[in-house]
């Protein structure tokens, strides 16, 4: 039976990670994988996570099954973090999932179950894993304009023109902040307009919250979801703790769906529970228990916010230093946009050959298409990186 199976290739950051691992050069630099790194090049376990884990080791009474929904109190706290404590959650179906991808998968399976012909509109470009996850559910992927390569900024007119003709009932995937891979976000005024068009045209936003707190701050980065929650009868939201709690491998997120009534929320949740049951059944508890411990304790929450703020500040600092280094190395302002972008990623205006040359001649790994993880650079590597970019773009 299995001799008929064809190999399916790795893509995106997972492909870069595999190539990087196989490279024997000691001075190699990984700017592919989407994880925060400190200036020592380490993705640290946050001190606050260690503190919460210590408490769990001391006090956790059981490791019996948690149930298909996961930890309900964790999900409630996460909704509060994303939507604000005052949000009305009575019409929201929410469950804990093993990471953001599982949350997206449940959201799109749910949409497919009620609207199998719906199209899902994603930004051009978007995170490399979005389209495969959507297509796997049977839904069709379409793209709306998002990134203007010339100016390295948002093509908001193009986006709005496209959304204004998207058929009612289609879904629109939006990233709450720190857009992956471009680093270009909607301003609050632009969010207002996008949510306005979803409202008037009957489009369903699916909001992917993957970097809350990495852009401007916890509240600022949640402007879009909060606005959607106030203005729209229905939406889908996924929020992962991978990045902002730095618990990547422990896999925890939420999938949430706003419905028209508490009764609709109940039946929707039963379907989400069914999707969970036939895939992973129950999410692992550990990271949810950690996040719940932090968010339900004022002192731990304050510690977490301080550590998150330090990560955000470092990313801003690397952006500024890098933009200045590239200005000097290339004698041009063509990389100044790095300072204006937010979050861990920016898309460098490099050709495929230039990205390959960085890899082959300088042992510097970016994702195909030019996405770089800003946080992957430490202060001792910035000048070398800038010189390498200047060299591969010189001809
Ligand atoms: C935009 C975006 N959404 C969702 C995810 C999923 O995160 P995870 O499944 O690791 O929680 C990521 C991870 O890189 C991401 O960049």
């Amino acid at each position: 039976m299995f001799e008929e199976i064809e190999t399916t290739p790795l893509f995106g950051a997972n492909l870069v990670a595999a190539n990087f691992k196989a490279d024997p050069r000691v001075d190699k630099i990984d700017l592919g994988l989407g994880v925060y790194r400190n200036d020592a090049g380490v993705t640290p376990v946050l001190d606050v996570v260690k503190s919460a884990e210590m408490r769990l080791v001391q006090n956790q009474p059981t490791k019996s099954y948690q149930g298909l929904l996961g930890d309900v109190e964790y999900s409630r706290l996460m909704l509060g973090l994303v939507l604000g404590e005052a949000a009305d959650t009575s019409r929201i179906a929410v469950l804990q999932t093993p990471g953001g991808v599982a949350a997206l998968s449940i959201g799109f399976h749910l949409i497919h179950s009620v609207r199998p012909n719906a199209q899902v509109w994603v930004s051009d470009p978007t995170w490399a894993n979005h389209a495969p996850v959507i297509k796997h559910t049977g839904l069709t992927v379409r793209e709306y304009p998002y990134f203007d390569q010339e100016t390295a900024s948002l093509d908001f007119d193009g986006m709005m023109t496209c959304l204004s003709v998207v058929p009612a009932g289609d879904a629109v995937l939006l990233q709450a902040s720190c857009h992956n891979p471009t680093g270009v976000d909607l301003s609050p005024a632009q969010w207002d307009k996008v949510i306005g068009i979803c409202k008037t045209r009957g489009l369903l936003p699916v909001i992917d919250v993957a970097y809350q707190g990495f852009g401007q701050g916890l509240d600022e980065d949640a402007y879009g979801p909060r606005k959607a929650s106030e203005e729209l009868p229905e939406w889908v939201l996924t929020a992962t703790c991978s990045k902002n709690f730095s618990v990547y491998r422990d896999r925890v997120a939420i999938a949430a769906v706003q419905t028209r009534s508490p009764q609709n929320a109940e039946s929707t949740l039963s379907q989400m529970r069914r999707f969970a049951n036939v895939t992973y059944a129950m999410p692992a508890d550990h990271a949810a228990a950690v996040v719940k411990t932090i968010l339900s304790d004022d002192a731990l929450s304050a510690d977490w916010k301080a550590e998150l703020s330090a990560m955000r500040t470092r990313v801003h600092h690397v952006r500024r230093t890098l933009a200045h280094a590239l200005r000097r190395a290339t004698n041009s302002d063509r990389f100044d946009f790095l300072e204006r972008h937010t979050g861990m990623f920016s898309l460098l205006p490099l050709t495929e050959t230039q990205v390959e040359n960085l890899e082959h001649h300088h042992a510097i790994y970016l994702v195909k298409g030019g996405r770089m993880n800003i946080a992957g650079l430490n202060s001792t590597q910035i000048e070398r990186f800038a010189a390498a970019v200047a060299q591969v773009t010189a001809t």
Side-chain angles (χ1 to χ4, degrees):
M1 185 195 287
F2 303 121
E3 65 272 20
E4 289 163 27
I5 291 178
E6 286 174 16
T7 303
T8 182
L10 286 172
F11 60 90
N14 289 320
L15 174 62
V16 183
N19 292 342
F20 182 79
K21 201 170 170 194
D23 188 336
R25 288 174 287 185
V26 285
D27 60 347
K28 59 188 177 179
I29 302 178
D30 175 17
L31 305 180
L33 198 64
V35 296
Y36 173 82
R37 292 204 178 96
N38 62 21
D39 202 45
V42 175
T43 303
V45 182
L46 301 184
D47 289 341
V48 70
V49 167
K50 288 272 187 215
S51 302
E53 285 176 327
M54 298 287 271
R55 285 195 194 179
L56 287 171
V57 168
Q58 301 287 336
N59 303 323
Q60 197 172 40
T62 179
K63 287 195 183 285
S64 173
Y65 290 121
Q66 183 69 280
L68 295 168
L69 300 182
D71 186 329
V72 174
E73 177 60 6
Y74 152 81
S75 296
R76 191 191 69 76
L77 289 162
M78 278 298 290
L79 269 188
L81 181 67
V82 179
L83 300 181
E85 290 303 329
D88 172 12
T89 56
S90 62
R91 295 179 290 119
I92 299 178
V94 61
L95 51 64
Q96 177 198 329
T97 65
V101 172
L104 287 163
S105 178
I106 287 185
F108 290 118
H109 272 296
L110 186 77
I111 295 170
H112 182 263
S113 71
V114 281
R115 291 273 186 285
N117 296 323
Q119 307 177 99
V120 182
W121 295 77
V122 304
S123 59
D124 175 21
T126 193
W127 179 43
N129 211 17
H130 276 146
V133 170
I134 297 165
K135 286 181 190 160
H136 185 67
T137 69
L139 291 166
T140 307
V141 176
R142 301 286 303 273
E143 287 183 331
Y144 57 83
Y146 189 81
F147 186 63
D148 180 350
Q149 304 257 8
E150 282 300 304
T151 58
S153 57
L154 185 67
D155 177 8
F156 189 63
D157 289 345
M159 177 177 180
M160 290 300 280
T161 305
C162 177
L163 294 185
S164 68
V165 295
V166 166
D170 275 4
V172 181
L173 179 58
L174 300 159
Q175 296 185 38
S177 69
C178 309
H179 184 270
N180 182 359
T182 66
V184 171
D185 287 338
L186 296 169
S187 68
Q190 289 165 333
W191 271 109
D192 290 352
K193 290 194 173 132
V194 169
I195 284 161
I197 208 162
C198 289
K199 195 172 186 173
T200 51
R201 294 199 53 77
L203 312 178
L204 178 77
V206 177
I207 306 183
D208 182 0
V209 186
Y211 299 92
Q212 189 182 359
F214 265 95
Q216 309 295 336
L218 280 168
D219 292 328
E220 294 87 336
D221 292 357
Y223 183 87
R226 290 179 189 184
K227 188 74 182 178
S229 136
E230 284 160 20
E231 295 289 326
L232 299 175
E234 295 183 319
W235 41 253
V236 174
L237 180 143
T238 62
T240 175
C241 306
S242 294
K243 322 277 167 163
N244 54 6
F245 286 86
S246 200
V247 289
Y248 306 84
R249 64 171 63 170
D250 285 344
R251 315 302 297 142
V252 71
I254 54 166
V257 180
Q258 166 124 313
T259 66
R260 289 179 191 273
S261 71
Q263 293 75 19
N264 290 162
E266 219 175 290
S267 41
T268 300
L269 187 59
S270 74
Q271 291 298 339
M272 294 161 76
R273 192 177 58 198
R274 183 175 67 81
F275 292 123
N277 185 44
V278 296
T279 47
Y280 57 83
M282 294 174 207
D285 176 64
H286 181 73
V290 166
V291 171
K292 180 174 78 171
T293 303
I294 295 170
L295 291 181
S296 57
D297 182 288
D298 286 347
L300 291 182
S301 285
D303 290 348
W304 170 61
K305 285 175 189 169
E307 285 189 82
L308 179 58
S309 164
M311 292 195 280
R312 178 172 65 242
T313 304
R314 175 174 135 71
V315 174
H316 288 175
H317 174 73
V318 176
R319 283 192 171 282
R320 199 166 42 251
T321 319
L322 179 59
H324 293 183
L326 281 163
R327 183 176 261 261
R328 288 192 301 275
T330 63
N331 205 16
S332 78
D333 59 6
R334 60 188 290 240
F335 294 97
D336 281 10
F337 65 83
L338 285 167
E339 216 175 339
R340 295 193 301 272
H341 288 180
T342 49
M344 294 212 287
F345 307 113
S346 275
L347 213 49
L348 297 187
L350 302 178
T351 63
E352 206 169 308
T353 310
Q354 289 167 342
V355 171
E356 280 166 16
N357 285 341
L358 277 179
E359 189 174 313
H360 293 150
H361 302 305
H362 301 276
I364 293 171
Y365 285 75
L366 307 182
V367 179
K368 196 173 164 200
R371 188 193 85 170
M372 81 168 282
N373 175 12
I374 304 288
L377 275 181
N378 66 44
S379 43
T380 63
Q381 296 164 329
I382 288 179
E383 292 298 332
R384 178 181 143 207
F385 176 74
V389 170
Q391 196 186 67
V392 299
T393 55
T395 47

